[in-house]
Amino acid sequence: MSSRARIAWVGPLPPATSGIADYSADLLPELATRCDLELYHEGGEAPAGEIAARFVCRSVAELDERTAAGYDHVVYQIGNSPPHHAATYRRALATPGVV
C-alpha cells in the first residue's frame, strides 16, 4: 500500500489552448514524483502525448463527490477563461478541494 497522497488534478490540459493547460503540463511530471495523480480534464479533446501516456486521464464530468472521496485531495486549476474553466469551476463549487 502506497503512503503517497492520491491527488485528483482537475482543469484544462493540452491540447486545450490555455496557459493553465500549459502550466499543468509542465508541473505534473515533477508533482508525480511526490504523489499519485489522476487527471480530470475539460474540453472535448482528451489529453495527448506524454500526459496521456503517463497519467490516467478522465473527463471532469466523471468526477463527482463519491469519486472525489477516493482521493486524499482534489486540486482545481482554474483561470479566467470560461471556455476552458467552466466545468472545473462548477465541479469545485459542488465538490470541495484546493483551488
Side-chain angles (χ1 to χ4, degrees), residues 9-99:
W9 186 272
V10 188
L13 296 165
T17 54
S18 160
I20 298 290
D22 295 340
Y23 172 76
S24 293
D26 290 342
L27 180 63
L28 290 169
E30 182 62 30
L31 188 57
T33 67
R34 294 168 171 79
C35 60
D36 297 326
L37 294 169
E38 291 186 11
L39 313 182
Y40 291 84
H41 64 89
E42 286 211 38
E45 288 187 71
E50 181 183 343
I51 297 276
R54 185 165 181 185
F55 300 102
V56 172
C57 299
R58 298 182 178 97
S59 167
V60 71
E62 295 181 54
L63 183 65
D64 57 22
E65 285 191 47
R66 193 170 117 218
T67 306
Y71 296 99
D72 295 306
H73 305 284
V74 178
V75 176
Y76 296 100
Q77 285 291 98
I78 297 177
N80 62 357
S81 175
H84 296 296
H85 306 280
T88 298
Y89 177 72
R90 286 190 299 273
R91 177 52 41 212
L93 291 175
T95 304
V98 176
V99 178

